[in-house]
Amino acid sequence: MRRYALALVCFFPGVLWSNNPSNGAEQPNVVMISIDDLNDWTGFLGGHPDVSTPNMDELAEQGRNFSNSHCAVPVCSSSRVSVMSGVAPTTHGSYEIGPRYDELPALNDVPTMQRYFKDHGYYTLSGGKVLHHGFTGRLSEAIDQSLGREKGRRPKKVMNRPASWSGAWDWGQYPDEDTEMADFKLAQNAANFLGSDFKPPFFLSVGFFRPHVPLFAPPCWFQKYDIEAISLPHIPSWDLDDVPKNFLNINSYAVAPTHAEVLKHGKQRGLTQAYLASISFVDSCVGLVVDALRASPHAENTYVVLWSDHGFHLGEKNHWAKRTLWEESTRVPLLISGPGISPDIPCEQSVSLIDIYPTLIDLCSLPENEKLEGVSLVPQLENSKMVRDRPAITSSYFGNHAVRSHSWRLITYEDGAEELYDHRSDSDEFHNLANDPRYKSIKNQLRQWLPKSEEPEFKKISERDKRLKK
Ligand SMILES: [Ca+2]
Ligand SMILES: [Ca+2]
């Protein structure tokens, strides 16, 4: 990978990667911004016609918008573990919230991205929800400076949720001001650091919590969206008629309401407005960090990478939240900008979040890490149209996978059931083609990319169970 970057310098002298330390220039810095539960409802991905995300849109225009990016696992901590380790869930075995990075035996000798950069001379800073809720245990040793780990406050009384729903699924105009929001404080801490005097290179990670539920944000963000006028997703009544039934009770794993419950209580518009408001709020936090970087001495020598850990359903396929293997759950924003990356049309090649780690190593000319399972995106940073054969793989619980190529999505379930969608004509994945004999060869091509081996789901053994075993 590194050799590729160097080769580009040879063929395009003075154009790309002039920061390469072998040229005697300064080592580049990294600002990594992760967002929690943000789907493709951003201006630059076009997932919702009403959404306003001016800061992220500007970032997308200035660098590379990977518009066909997908998570490795559509659930929070498992996805983050995959990004930070650069390893797929079929290797590390975390498919659900629960095991922490340092509890997974498969990752014992896999340094987190931050650890790897620290070991190669970088000053590391981290704040908010980057891995789990901050770094703990042996992982905390990888972080030189904390930018804060405050979680958002919740109002004392129930605001909008029905009494029977989990407290996690409330929303509303709270608190009054941005300055009271944990994400805003985190953004300010990051901005203050970027404006301070210190010795680079640095690797700064900022993990914002919104638009994860509960969807509380100050009133000004709700006022951007007229609850009666906002667009709602198109949800045909027949959409689920042609899909396997084994995965439809996925909500039973989580606290999210069913679509029927959302409709019964008349909450679809309220939740949708709150999600949009939360997105615009977090966009403003991204703006705080990026503006501080632009005003700093590091503006010309810092890569910015922005990603979300997985997507989010707001009623599509009668589903709320995540964990499915459909586009709503797997598609995520992924933006990379920085020195040598020229603005270009969005890259439509399918890529995975586990490609971030090898890409940053490549950009910063660090030695290759042989544990990584992703592939550097430097060729697509050089040229948006550079073809990439490898599709993005998403796994949800043991034995269930989605293979997303440039134009197709194949889903295979543990019991052998399948779905196939043609994104050239069906971006909503309404028409399952898996049983149509005309697509047999397409299915066979996609099946080749399915994981060849698979680590069973890692289950924590409690201290009590350990004692009982003895
Ligand atoms: Ca998440
Ligand atoms: Ca359908």
Side-chain angles (χ1 to χ4, degrees), residues 168-326:
W169 274 79
D170 204 358
W171 65 96
Q173 303 184 26
Y174 176 89
D176 288 336
E177 302 292 338
D178 283 354
T179 50
E180 300 171 75
M181 295 288 285
D183 282 341
F184 184 88
K185 293 176 196 172
L186 172 62
Q188 277 201 316
N189 288 345
N192 290 341
F193 170 79
L194 290 166
S196 65
D197 188 22
F198 60 93
K199 192 173 175 298
F202 62 84
F203 188 114
L204 184 152
S205 321
V206 175
F208 292 125
F209 288 86
R210 290 291 176 280
H212 194 291
V213 296
L215 299 167
F216 297 118
C220 63
W221 302 105
F222 280 76
Q223 287 157 12
K224 292 179 85 69
Y225 300 98
D226 179 345
I227 190 168
E228 297 305 328
I230 48 173
S231 307
L232 298 177
H234 176 44
I235 309 169
S237 59
W238 43 261
D239 188 14
L240 294 180
D241 292 350
D242 62 352
V243 303
K245 304 295 178 258
N246 57 348
F247 220 63
L248 296 180
N249 64 348
I250 197 74
N251 266 343
S252 64
Y253 291 98
V255 297
T258 65
H259 189 51
E261 285 168 336
V262 172
L263 296 182
K264 185 179 96 180
H265 292 282
K267 300 300 186 185
Q268 188 178 10
R269 285 195 171 273
L271 275 166
T272 306
Q273 181 198 30
Y275 189 70
L276 289 166
S278 298
I279 292 170
S280 288
F281 161 69
V282 85
D283 178 75
S284 75
C285 295
V286 170
L288 274 177
V289 177
V290 175
D291 287 349
L293 175 64
R294 289 187 187 122
S296 80
H298 318 289
E300 302 302 320
N301 195 32
T302 301
Y303 290 107
V304 178
V305 53
L306 179 147
W307 53 275
S308 163
D309 56 354
H310 50 77
F312 205 76
H313 286 254
L314 287 98
E316 300 95 337
K317 290 194 159 41
N318 288 4
H319 188 80
W320 285 77
K322 44 218 180 190
R323 292 181 172 82
T324 72
L325 287 167
W326 292 309

Side-chain angles (χ1 to χ4, degrees), residues 128-142:
K129 188 175 177 182
V130 173
L131 187 43
H132 312 283
H133 293 277
F135 284 81
T136 56
R138 73 175 167 97
L139 303 180
S140 64
E141 294 163 13

Side-chain angles (χ1 to χ4, degrees), residues 66 71 74 94 124 131 200 202 206 243 274 305 321 332 369 384 442 456 463:
F66 288 93
C71 60
S94 171
T124 54
L131 187 43
F202 62 84
V206 175
V243 303
V305 53
V332 290
N369 177 346
S384 274
I442 293 284
E463 290 305 314

